[in-house]
């Protein structure tokens, strides 16, 4: 029986590690190749390609590494985790330059990989970018997640999105640092509310920020479920990938213990269409 190959872009982060763990559990004989921006091997992967950043040359460099290792580029799935962009201001205020720079990390390299390597499945990650709190601070990242949703809906058989609740990660830590800085000079009413609530919270900002996000997620979705809300963790991300690999629907959502699937965009503000 032929061994299945998987490519995990960004294997050392929370999403990447959850993906590797999930794939090993689902298919113990799977051969997992992963990338990292560093020179440190990624835990639990079979092969790490070093010094790989999410840029326009990513696909070309990965193909060169595959050739150097004499590996055929036949992948069951490519799982793409990079998420970096300008945040700390309302999504609707994103400039064309900010959007292009964010897509250059979060989406364009994924499209190149899909087109050049042609895996059976290409999988990316999204978020609840349309909830009131994220609308106020998610910046150009919100546009990137919206574009990723549209991408998946165009070809559901070949493309999947894992939409996950807020979990602790380097990306979330980065957002919280930028947000704490931006709050000091904002006129946005939602950010001003966030600022005033933080000032009376007696918490470190990172802890407050996570609690604030979790509170909004609970408020938005608890009424649809009997089981109580809990924050999303690494195991939930793995559950999402396991479901996405076998799902007919293009979008699989994991939010704590809750799971659901979608075949259309969520109810988002109409102004997203201008982007």
């Amino acid at each position: 029986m032929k061994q299945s190959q998987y490519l995990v872009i960004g294997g050392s982060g929370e999403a990447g590690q959850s993906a590797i763990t999930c794939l090993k559990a689902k298919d113990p004989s799977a051969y997992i190749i992963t990338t990292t921006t560093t020179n440190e091997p990624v835990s639990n992967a079979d092969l790490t390609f070093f010094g790989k950043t999410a840029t326009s040359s990513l696909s070309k460099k990965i193909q060169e590494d595959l050739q150097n290792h004499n590996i055929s580029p036949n992948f069951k799935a490519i799982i793409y985790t990079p998420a970096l962009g300008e945040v700390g201001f309302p999504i609707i205020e994103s400039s064309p330059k900010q959007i292009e720079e964010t897509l250059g990390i979060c989406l364009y390299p994924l499209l190149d990989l899909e087109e050049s390597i042609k895996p059976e499945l290409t999988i990316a990650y999204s978020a609840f970018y349309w909830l009131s709190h994220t609308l106020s601070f998610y910046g150009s990242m919100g546009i990137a997640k919206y574009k990723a949703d549209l991408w998946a809906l165009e070809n559901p058989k070949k493309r999947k999105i894992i939409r996950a609740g807020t979990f602790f990660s380097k990306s979330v830590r980065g957002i919280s640092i930028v947000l704490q800085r931006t709050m000091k000079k904002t006129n946005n009413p939602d950010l001003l509310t966030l600022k005033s609530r933080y000032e009376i919270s007696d918490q470190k900002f990172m802890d407050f920020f996570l609690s604030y996000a979790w509170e909004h997620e609970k408020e938005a979705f608890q009424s649809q479920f009997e089981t109580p809300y809990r924050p999303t963790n690494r195991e939930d991300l793995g559950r999402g990938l396991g479901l996405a690999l076998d799902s007919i629907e293009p979008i699989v959502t994991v939010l704590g213990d809750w799971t659901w699937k979608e075949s259309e965009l969520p109810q988002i503000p109409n102004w997203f269409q201008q982007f």
Side-chain angles (χ1 to χ4, degrees), residues 105-229:
I105 297 168
C106 298
L107 188 63
Y108 294 157
L110 166 72
L111 303 185
D112 290 342
L113 286 163
E114 179 188 36
E115 185 178 338
S116 60
I117 294 179
K118 295 181 171 53
E120 290 181 31
L121 268 184
T122 313
I123 301 171
Y125 292 79
S126 191
F128 298 106
Y129 54 86
W130 65 92
L131 297 185
S132 62
H133 68 302
T134 37
L135 285 174
S136 69
F137 69 71
Y138 210 28
S140 55
M141 284 288 290
I143 305 301
K145 299 303 187 188
Y146 164 66
K147 298 273 191 187
D149 279 3
L150 292 176
W151 162 83
L153 293 171
E154 284 172 1
N155 191 350
K157 288 185 179 179
K158 292 278 192 178
R159 301 167 178 172
K160 306 294 176 188
I161 288 288
I162 301 164
R163 196 186 311 288
T166 304
F167 55 94
F168 179 77
S169 65
K170 286 180 184 175
S171 178
V172 168
R173 186 194 291 133
I175 290 172
S176 75
I177 291 168
V178 173
L179 190 53
Q180 190 172 8
R181 203 161 51 229
T182 321
M183 276 189 333
K184 295 173 182 174
K185 53 187 180 195
T186 186
N187 292 315
N188 180 273
D190 290 314
L191 289 184
L192 288 171
T193 300
L194 179 82
K195 180 182 177 183
S196 62
R197 288 190 50 185
Y198 164 61
E199 286 168 348
I200 60 170
S201 71
D202 202 28
Q203 287 180 294
K204 290 181 179 176
F205 188 76
M206 181 75 225
D207 297 331
F208 167 79
F209 176 66
L210 285 169
S211 300
Y212 186 77
W214 293 336
E215 178 189 313
H216 280 79
E217 291 175 355
K218 179 180 179 181
E219 187 182 311
F221 298 106
Q222 176 66 75
S223 63
Q224 300 170 38
F225 300 92
E226 292 182 4
T227 50
Y229 172 85

Side-chain angles (χ1 to χ4, degrees), residues 149 152-153 161 163 247 249-253 260-262 264 266:
D149 279 3
L153 293 171
I161 288 288
R163 196 186 311 288
S247 177
E249 295 85 357
I251 301 172
V252 172
T253 298
W260 67 96
K261 298 178 181 181
E262 296 165 281
E264 57 188 17

